[in-house]
Amino acid sequence: MLNNANNSFTRNFWVDYLRSALTVLVVAHHSALAYTTFAKFDKKTYIFSTHPIVDSQRWVGIDLFQNFNDVFFMSLMFLIGGLFLSKSIDKKGVVNYVRDRIFRLLIPFFFLGTIFMLIAYFPSYYVANNKETGIVVFVYDFFHHQKWPSGPPWFIWVLFLFNLIGIPFQFYFKKLNDKIAVVFDSFGKKPLFFFVVFYLFTWVVFVPLTMLVGPGIWVGYGPFDFQLSRILLYFGYFTIGVLIGNSDFNKGIFSIQSGIVKNWKVWAFGALVTYAVLIRSEEILTKAIADGMLTVLNAHIIYWSVYVASCVLSNLAFLTIFRNFMDMESIGWNLLNENAYLIYLLHYIFVIWIQFCLLSVSASAWSKFLLTFFFAFILSFLVSSFLRKIRLVNKYL
């Protein structure tokens, strides 16, 4: 340990470490997708597959892990992404802030994201086209037939867009800064009320759109893809992050003395229980529809309402656990934090190539998942550490 809790608040170590932990979860999440029981591979258009590489080895336990992550972790990433918008604009000014976002988000997404995804998706092309290795044909197929898939870096361009949209909102929020601070500080004294407000807000920005367009629809142009059913959810959580960031959240809503933070065990237990209910509800609701006890519409409303509860409780659990236990600086966490962004950009290459290399290996799904995750994470970390020796890379990434 390098520092005490009081000194760490100025840098918000717990937020940095939470963001880093979520990056590790992203690596694990993608490492798991080749081994889920619902995985399918589309040889005609591999980008329509559930994952670029699909193994014959499957395990339902990996489904549970993958689905748990999917319920909450990207919404939490966007909430964290909004936390420091206000302070960054105040420190840099609008012009320098936009310039910084272009160099840190848009350019890496557009150029590094494209190069990295070209490397990452080649095994998928190879499998889909009966071991075809023509690079020129692959590149043409990548941009024209597969429509320039963005892969995990989709998050980066959407975050960039939210940052731009957030600028004019921020000037409005500034005028209400004192009132916003009072509201969010008061939530710390009313954890149950905060949960209800957070739940209702999440329900409104997620459930109606999901039921309207379906949960799995992705839209976009070129590499600028996004999941349509979740775009309001992500922007809503980003906005919550911006609003919280306009308050002194380490002394208010996320103070160690806050009722929200003190109840971390409640949120963690609730997250696990609610997720278990969510998984069990699929079978129960399907049977209820078949038996004529529920309409499809009502069953969907119930399912997505439980889904929202799982999302909110998992968000609160991770936020409060890290606020409680990550209030001191750590060398290991600092190293992870320094490399987290490049790990996010790089990991898909190693995940897919390792999964591809393991296709012919006789091993369990669980073993292949662990091998993929371990080596993808280590290799991403090592390459990131090497690239960050380059001055320009270290400055922006």
Side-chain angles (χ1 to χ4, degrees), residues 17-65:
Y17 298 162
L18 174 56
R19 179 168 45 212
S20 301
L22 290 173
T23 301
V24 176
L25 270 184
V26 169
V27 180
H29 181 81
H30 291 137
S31 298
L33 283 171
Y35 312 110
T36 59
T37 60
F38 58 82
K40 62 181 181 66
F41 188 79
D42 188 329
K43 293 196 70 171
K44 184 177 181 181
T45 308
Y46 63 76
I47 198 61
F48 291 158
S49 305
T50 56
H51 189 64
I53 292 295
V54 171
D55 202 289
S56 59
Q57 294 296 317
R58 316 288 180 86
W59 184 45
V60 69
I62 292 177
D63 293 8
L64 298 176
F65 170 74

Side-chain angles (χ1 to χ4, degrees), residues 55 57 358 360-368 371:
D55 202 289
Q57 294 296 317
L358 291 174
S360 59
V361 174
S362 179
S364 67
W366 181 246
S367 300
K368 289 186 175 184
L371 285 170

Side-chain angles (χ1 to χ4, degrees), residues 139-211:
V139 173
Y140 179 86
D141 177 81
F142 179 88
F143 286 107
H144 292 273
H145 185 58
Q146 309 300 331
K147 305 300 182 184
W148 198 344
S150 60
W154 70 266
F155 166 77
I156 297 170
W157 88 261
V158 175
L159 183 61
F160 173 78
L161 177 64
F162 288 174
N163 274 263
L164 293 187
I165 296 173
I167 293 173
F169 280 98
Q170 174 56 24
F171 288 113
Y172 176 71
F173 293 155
K174 272 292 182 184
K175 297 177 182 178
L176 303 174
N177 198 42
D178 291 340
K179 294 181 179 179
I180 291 172
V182 168
V183 169
F184 278 93
D185 288 352
S186 69
F187 283 144
K189 303 172 185 176
K190 305 173 183 177
L192 181 59
F193 179 67
F194 176 69
F195 168 75
V196 172
V197 172
F198 200 5
Y199 175 87
L200 292 175
F201 175 83
T202 305
W203 198 99
V204 169
V205 296
F206 176 68
V207 175
L209 185 58
T210 299
M211 293 184 65

Side-chain angles (χ1 to χ4, degrees), residues 308-382:
V308 167
S310 181
C311 174
V312 171
L313 287 165
S314 293
N315 270 272
L316 289 174
F318 272 79
L319 284 164
T320 56
I321 287 171
F322 272 78
R323 181 65 180 96
N324 268 291
F325 300 106
M326 295 295 176
D327 60 348
M328 296 181 71
E329 188 175 6
S330 161
I331 294 175
W333 279 102
N334 280 345
L335 283 172
L336 178 58
N337 179 59
E338 289 166 1
N339 291 279
Y341 187 21
L342 268 173
I343 289 173
Y344 186 90
L345 282 168
L346 286 162
H347 78 277
Y348 214 49
I349 297 172
F350 299 112
V351 165
I352 296 174
W353 276 91
I354 292 168
Q355 289 170 339
F356 170 69
C357 291
L358 291 174
L359 282 175
S360 59
V361 174
S362 179
S364 67
W366 181 246
S367 300
K368 289 186 175 184
F369 159 64
L370 289 178
L371 285 170
T372 301
F373 170 60
F374 176 78
F375 285 107
F377 174 73
I378 294 299
L379 290 170
S380 299
F381 180 85
L382 291 175

